[in-house]
mmCIF file of all heavy atoms in Angstrom:
data_model
loop_
_atom_site.group_PDB
_atom_site.id
_atom_site.type_symbol
_atom_site.label_atom_id
_atom_site.label_comp_id
_atom_site.label_asym_id
_atom_site.label_seq_id
_atom_site.Cartn_x
_atom_site.Cartn_y
_atom_site.Cartn_z
ATOM 1 N N PHE A 7 137.312 51.348 60.971
ATOM 2 C CA PHE A 7 138.377 51.843 61.869
ATOM 3 C C PHE A 7 138.677 53.316 61.583
ATOM 4 O O PHE A 7 138.858 54.119 62.499
ATOM 5 C CB PHE A 7 139.639 50.995 61.681
ATOM 6 C CG PHE A 7 140.763 51.384 62.583
ATOM 7 C CD1 PHE A 7 140.729 51.077 63.935
ATOM 8 C CD2 PHE A 7 141.857 52.089 62.079
ATOM 9 C CE1 PHE A 7 141.767 51.451 64.767
ATOM 10 C CE2 PHE A 7 142.896 52.464 62.914
ATOM 11 C CZ PHE A 7 142.857 52.139 64.269
ATOM 12 N N GLY A 8 138.723 53.652 60.299
ATOM 13 C CA GLY A 8 138.972 55.050 59.922
ATOM 14 C C GLY A 8 137.872 55.965 60.417
ATOM 15 O O GLY A 8 138.129 57.072 60.911
ATOM 16 N N CYS A 9 136.641 55.506 60.314
ATOM 17 C CA CYS A 9 135.513 56.323 60.821
ATOM 18 C C CYS A 9 135.609 56.512 62.325
ATOM 19 O O CYS A 9 135.316 57.586 62.864
ATOM 20 C CB CYS A 9 134.196 55.641 60.451
ATOM 21 S SG CYS A 9 133.810 55.706 58.684
ATOM 22 N N LEU A 10 136.030 55.422 63.018
ATOM 23 C CA LEU A 10 136.170 55.509 64.473
ATOM 24 C C LEU A 10 137.247 56.519 64.864
ATOM 25 O O LEU A 10 137.062 57.297 65.816
ATOM 26 C CB LEU A 10 136.526 54.121 65.028
ATOM 27 C CG LEU A 10 136.680 54.036 66.551
ATOM 28 C CD1 LEU A 10 135.383 54.418 67.244
ATOM 29 C CD2 LEU A 10 137.117 52.622 66.946
ATOM 30 N N ILE A 11 138.336 56.481 64.093
ATOM 31 C CA ILE A 11 139.416 57.437 64.359
ATOM 32 C C ILE A 11 138.905 58.864 64.178
ATOM 33 O O ILE A 11 139.186 59.761 64.988
ATOM 34 C CB ILE A 11 140.622 57.181 63.449
ATOM 35 C CG1 ILE A 11 141.288 55.843 63.788
ATOM 36 C CG2 ILE A 11 141.642 58.316 63.565
ATOM 37 C CD1 ILE A 11 141.848 55.759 65.178
ATOM 38 N N LEU A 12 138.137 59.070 63.131
ATOM 39 C CA LEU A 12 137.599 60.409 62.862
ATOM 40 C C LEU A 12 136.656 60.848 63.981
ATOM 41 O O LEU A 12 136.664 62.003 64.404
ATOM 42 C CB LEU A 12 136.880 60.419 61.514
ATOM 43 C CG LEU A 12 137.758 60.325 60.271
ATOM 44 C CD1 LEU A 12 136.904 60.220 59.020
ATOM 45 C CD2 LEU A 12 138.689 61.533 60.193
ATOM 46 N N ILE A 13 135.841 59.911 64.443
ATOM 47 C CA ILE A 13 134.898 60.247 65.525
ATOM 48 C C ILE A 13 135.648 60.603 66.801
ATOM 49 O O ILE A 13 135.336 61.583 67.488
ATOM 50 C CB ILE A 13 133.934 59.060 65.766
ATOM 51 C CG1 ILE A 13 132.998 58.890 64.563
ATOM 52 C CG2 ILE A 13 133.124 59.299 67.040
ATOM 53 C CD1 ILE A 13 132.169 57.621 64.630
ATOM 54 N N ILE A 14 136.670 59.792 67.096
ATOM 55 C CA ILE A 14 137.468 60.056 68.305
ATOM 56 C C ILE A 14 138.162 61.410 68.203
ATOM 57 O O ILE A 14 138.187 62.191 69.154
ATOM 58 C CB ILE A 14 138.500 58.927 68.519
ATOM 59 C CG1 ILE A 14 137.782 57.626 68.865
ATOM 60 C CG2 ILE A 14 139.489 59.304 69.614
ATOM 61 C CD1 ILE A 14 138.696 56.410 68.928
ATOM 62 N N ALA A 15 138.707 61.677 67.016
ATOM 63 C CA ALA A 15 139.402 62.961 66.819
ATOM 64 C C ALA A 15 138.428 64.125 66.970
ATOM 65 O O ALA A 15 138.751 65.162 67.575
ATOM 66 C CB ALA A 15 140.056 62.979 65.438
ATOM 67 N N ALA A 16 137.214 63.926 66.420
ATOM 68 C CA ALA A 16 136.205 64.982 66.513
ATOM 69 C C ALA A 16 135.809 65.228 67.966
ATOM 70 O O ALA A 16 135.620 66.377 68.413
ATOM 71 C CB ALA A 16 134.983 64.613 65.678
ATOM 72 N N VAL A 17 135.677 64.123 68.714
ATOM 73 C CA VAL A 17 135.322 64.248 70.142
ATOM 74 C C VAL A 17 136.424 64.969 70.902
ATOM 75 O O VAL A 17 136.159 65.847 71.737
ATOM 76 C CB VAL A 17 135.046 62.856 70.746
ATOM 77 C CG1 VAL A 17 134.932 62.958 72.260
ATOM 78 C CG2 VAL A 17 133.782 62.258 70.150
ATOM 79 N N ILE A 18 137.681 64.579 70.597
ATOM 80 C CA ILE A 18 138.811 65.216 71.279
ATOM 81 C C ILE A 18 138.860 66.711 70.967
ATOM 82 O O ILE A 18 139.039 67.545 71.859
ATOM 83 C CB ILE A 18 140.138 64.534 70.872
ATOM 84 C CG1 ILE A 18 140.186 63.113 71.429
ATOM 85 C CG2 ILE A 18 141.329 65.345 71.365
ATOM 86 C CD1 ILE A 18 141.383 62.297 70.957
ATOM 87 N N ILE A 19 138.664 67.034 69.695
ATOM 88 C CA ILE A 19 138.669 68.450 69.290
ATOM 89 C C ILE A 19 137.540 69.201 69.983
ATOM 90 O O ILE A 19 137.724 70.326 70.468
ATOM 91 C CB ILE A 19 138.546 68.569 67.760
ATOM 92 C CG1 ILE A 19 139.818 68.039 67.087
ATOM 93 C CG2 ILE A 19 138.287 70.014 67.343
ATOM 94 C CD1 ILE A 19 139.712 67.934 65.583
ATOM 95 N N ALA A 20 136.370 68.566 70.047
ATOM 96 C CA ALA A 20 135.229 69.206 70.698
ATOM 97 C C ALA A 20 135.498 69.432 72.179
ATOM 98 O O ALA A 20 135.183 70.488 72.745
ATOM 99 C CB ALA A 20 133.976 68.358 70.505
ATOM 100 N N LEU A 21 136.114 68.416 72.804
ATOM 101 C CA LEU A 21 136.420 68.547 74.231
ATOM 102 C C LEU A 21 137.449 69.647 74.482
ATOM 103 O O LEU A 21 137.312 70.441 75.416
ATOM 104 C CB LEU A 21 136.926 67.205 74.770
ATOM 105 C CG LEU A 21 135.887 66.079 74.899
ATOM 106 C CD1 LEU A 21 136.565 64.778 75.294
ATOM 107 C CD2 LEU A 21 134.833 66.464 75.942
ATOM 108 N N VAL A 22 138.488 69.654 73.637
ATOM 109 C CA VAL A 22 139.531 70.671 73.790
ATOM 110 C C VAL A 22 138.953 72.062 73.554
ATOM 111 O O VAL A 22 139.220 73.008 74.310
ATOM 112 C CB VAL A 22 140.706 70.391 72.829
ATOM 113 C CG1 VAL A 22 141.672 71.574 72.819
ATOM 114 C CG2 VAL A 22 141.421 69.118 73.228
ATOM 115 N N THR A 23 138.146 72.184 72.497
ATOM 116 C CA THR A 23 137.538 73.481 72.187
ATOM 117 C C THR A 23 136.597 73.920 73.299
ATOM 118 O O THR A 23 136.603 75.080 73.720
ATOM 119 C CB THR A 23 136.768 73.402 70.856
ATOM 120 O OG1 THR A 23 137.655 73.002 69.815
ATOM 121 C CG2 THR A 23 136.138 74.742 70.516
ATOM 122 N N GLY A 24 135.792 72.956 73.775
ATOM 123 C CA GLY A 24 134.860 73.284 74.855
ATOM 124 C C GLY A 24 135.597 73.721 76.106
ATOM 125 O O GLY A 24 135.199 74.675 76.774
ATOM 126 N N ASN A 25 136.675 72.963 76.421
ATOM 127 C CA ASN A 25 137.462 73.338 77.600
ATOM 128 C C ASN A 25 138.123 74.697 77.417
ATOM 129 O O ASN A 25 138.217 75.483 78.365
ATOM 130 C CB ASN A 25 138.524 72.266 77.865
ATOM 131 C CG ASN A 25 139.352 72.576 79.096
ATOM 132 O OD1 ASN A 25 138.851 72.538 80.214
ATOM 133 N ND2 ASN A 25 140.631 72.880 78.900
ATOM 134 N N PHE A 26 138.558 74.978 76.188
ATOM 135 C CA PHE A 26 139.204 76.259 75.885
ATOM 136 C C PHE A 26 138.226 77.414 76.106
ATOM 137 O O PHE A 26 138.550 78.407 76.759
ATOM 138 C CB PHE A 26 139.685 76.246 74.429
ATOM 139 C CG PHE A 26 140.578 77.399 74.066
ATOM 140 C CD1 PHE A 26 141.930 77.367 74.346
ATOM 141 C CD2 PHE A 26 140.061 78.527 73.431
ATOM 142 C CE1 PHE A 26 142.766 78.420 74.001
ATOM 143 C CE2 PHE A 26 140.875 79.588 73.088
ATOM 144 C CZ PHE A 26 142.236 79.538 73.373
ATOM 145 N N ILE A 27 137.013 77.220 75.581
ATOM 146 C CA ILE A 27 135.986 78.262 75.727
ATOM 147 C C ILE A 27 135.498 78.343 77.162
ATOM 148 O O ILE A 27 135.302 79.428 77.714
ATOM 149 C CB ILE A 27 134.818 77.988 74.762
ATOM 150 C CG1 ILE A 27 135.297 78.090 73.314
ATOM 151 C CG2 ILE A 27 133.674 78.964 75.008
ATOM 152 C CD1 ILE A 27 134.259 77.684 72.287
ATOM 153 N N TYR A 28 135.308 77.145 77.795
ATOM 154 C CA TYR A 28 134.850 77.128 79.183
ATOM 155 C C TYR A 28 135.843 77.852 80.091
ATOM 156 O O TYR A 28 135.469 78.631 80.969
ATOM 157 C CB TYR A 28 134.662 75.683 79.656
ATOM 158 C CG TYR A 28 134.346 75.577 81.132
ATOM 159 C CD1 TYR A 28 133.063 75.811 81.606
ATOM 160 C CD2 TYR A 28 135.348 75.248 82.059
ATOM 161 C CE1 TYR A 28 132.761 75.730 82.958
ATOM 162 C CE2 TYR A 28 135.067 75.156 83.414
ATOM 163 C CZ TYR A 28 133.775 75.409 83.859
ATOM 164 O OH TYR A 28 133.491 75.343 85.193
ATOM 165 N N GLY A 29 137.130 77.603 79.869
ATOM 166 C CA GLY A 29 138.159 78.254 80.676
ATOM 167 C C GLY A 29 138.176 79.765 80.507
ATOM 168 O O GLY A 29 138.651 80.491 81.390
ATOM 169 N N TRP A 30 137.655 80.230 79.387
ATOM 170 C CA TRP A 30 137.596 81.679 79.148
ATOM 171 C C TRP A 30 136.461 82.330 79.922
ATOM 172 O O TRP A 30 136.575 83.461 80.377
ATOM 173 C CB TRP A 30 137.436 81.921 77.644
ATOM 174 C CG TRP A 30 137.418 83.358 77.216
ATOM 175 C CD1 TRP A 30 136.407 84.016 76.592
ATOM 176 C CD2 TRP A 30 138.459 84.318 77.371
ATOM 177 N NE1 TRP A 30 136.740 85.322 76.340
ATOM 178 C CE2 TRP A 30 138.011 85.530 76.814
ATOM 179 C CE3 TRP A 30 139.738 84.261 77.937
ATOM 180 C CZ2 TRP A 30 138.786 86.676 76.800
ATOM 181 C CZ3 TRP A 30 140.512 85.402 77.929
ATOM 182 C CH2 TRP A 30 140.044 86.595 77.359
ATOM 183 N N ASN A 31 135.368 81.588 80.089
ATOM 184 C CA ASN A 31 134.175 82.176 80.716
ATOM 185 C C ASN A 31 133.912 81.677 82.138
ATOM 186 O O ASN A 31 133.032 82.206 82.812
ATOM 187 C CB ASN A 31 132.939 81.874 79.851
ATOM 188 C CG ASN A 31 133.000 82.567 78.497
ATOM 189 O OD1 ASN A 31 132.871 83.774 78.396
ATOM 190 N ND2 ASN A 31 133.207 81.780 77.440
ATOM 191 N N ALA A 32 134.653 80.666 82.579
ATOM 192 C CA ALA A 32 134.435 80.116 83.923
ATOM 193 C C ALA A 32 134.911 81.094 84.998
ATOM 194 O O ALA A 32 135.754 81.955 84.761
ATOM 195 C CB ALA A 32 135.177 78.791 84.059
ATOM 196 N N SER A 33 134.366 80.941 86.193
ATOM 197 C CA SER A 33 134.757 81.791 87.313
ATOM 198 C C SER A 33 136.237 81.614 87.620
ATOM 199 O O SER A 33 136.773 80.496 87.549
ATOM 200 C CB SER A 33 133.933 81.438 88.556
ATOM 201 O OG SER A 33 132.566 81.714 88.338
ATOM 202 N N GLY A 34 136.883 82.712 87.994
ATOM 203 C CA GLY A 34 138.304 82.685 88.301
ATOM 204 C C GLY A 34 138.577 82.407 89.754
ATOM 205 O O GLY A 34 137.660 82.259 90.563
ATOM 206 N N PRO A 35 139.841 82.381 90.141
ATOM 207 C CA PRO A 35 140.236 81.984 91.500
ATOM 208 C C PRO A 35 140.114 83.086 92.556
ATOM 209 O O PRO A 35 140.264 82.813 93.748
ATOM 210 C CB PRO A 35 141.699 81.589 91.319
ATOM 211 C CG PRO A 35 142.175 82.472 90.197
ATOM 212 C CD PRO A 35 141.002 82.587 89.265
ATOM 213 N N LEU A 36 139.859 84.304 92.149
ATOM 214 C CA LEU A 36 139.872 85.422 93.093
ATOM 215 C C LEU A 36 138.732 85.294 94.100
ATOM 216 O O LEU A 36 137.554 85.211 93.722
ATOM 217 C CB LEU A 36 139.763 86.744 92.325
ATOM 218 C CG LEU A 36 140.150 88.016 93.072
ATOM 219 C CD1 LEU A 36 141.594 87.943 93.554
ATOM 220 C CD2 LEU A 36 139.973 89.233 92.166
#
C-alpha cells in the first residue's frame, strides 16, 4: 500500500510538473 501511495504521488507530481511546463511552452490564446 505504501509503495502504491508513492507511485500515485509520483504520477501526480509528474502530471503537475508536466502540466506546469506544458503551460509555459504551449500556444497562447492570442
Side-chain angles (χ1 to χ4, degrees):
F7 182 73
C9 289
L10 181 61
I11 293 298
L12 289 175
I13 292 171
I14 292 173
V17 170
I18 292 174
I19 292 172
L21 289 174
V22 170
T23 302
N25 181 68
F26 190 83
I27 296 173
Y28 173 80
W30 183 241
N31 294 289
S33 296
L36 197 59

